[in-house]
Amino acid sequence: RSDKLKKLEPFSAKIIEEGCYTFPDRGLKLKLCFVPRVDDFEVDRKKNVAMLDAGLVKFPLMVRSLHSGDSFVPFGMKGTKLVSDFLTDLKRDLLSKREQLVVADASGNILWVLNERLDNRFRITTETREVLVLESE
């Protein structure tokens, strides 16, 4: 089987706690940790880093392929948007849409369209006490 076809197979992996996770068939490493939100806390704006309000996230997390009808509230927006429409807006072709992974929580909410955009509902606010940091390589 070619690597391209392997990448198109539905992918799903469970993350139960902080640590480093490696998914060789997707060429992905994901690091997960919790940090306290201190007064001079700064949000990392790099595309491969997601910082979320840990108090709002329900474990276990799932790193998975897109499902038909998946939607989220893109960071900075009010309403929900289909992930596929969001990727279309980014001018993604069908192949890269199929390869796109998302991180979802135990409630099925999409927290992060991997390396693209966070869900606004899980953003860090002045109320946030603990930050969940996800970093992909």
Side-chain angles (χ1 to χ4, degrees), residues 10-83:
F11 176 81
S12 179
K14 193 179 277 192
I15 293 180
I16 50 173
E17 60 191 3
E18 58 184 330
C20 288
Y21 296 83
T22 307
F23 310 107
D25 53 333
R26 286 298 166 121
L28 173 68
K29 273 187 186 159
L30 203 55
K31 198 164 77 186
L32 192 104
C33 65
F34 294 96
V35 295
R37 184 183 173 279
V38 289
D39 289 342
D40 60 350
F41 181 82
E42 282 198 30
V43 174
D44 192 323
R45 303 236 179 258
K46 291 197 290 285
K47 271 203 186 274
N48 69 320
V49 176
M51 293 187 156
L52 306 160
D53 186 328
L56 301 174
V57 176
K58 293 181 180 62
F59 274 76
L61 301 183
M62 292 297 285
V63 178
R64 63 171 176 78
S65 303
L66 272 184
H67 295 168
S68 176
D70 271 348
S71 66
F72 77 130
V73 180
F75 184 78
M77 285 179 59
K78 297 232 183 309
T80 58
K81 188 166 190 131
L82 286 170
V83 176

Side-chain angles (χ1 to χ4, degrees), residues 6 19 21 27 42 46 54 57 67-68 75 77 80-81 86 89 94 98-100 102 107 114 124 127 133:
K6 199 173 193 176
Y21 296 83
E42 282 198 30
K46 291 197 290 285
V57 176
H67 295 168
S68 176
F75 184 78
M77 285 179 59
T80 58
K81 188 166 190 131
F86 170 75
D89 293 349
L94 193 59
R98 285 197 179 143
E99 290 176 349
Q100 180 66 53
V102 296
S107 304
L114 200 72
I124 292 165
E127 306 297 304
V133 182

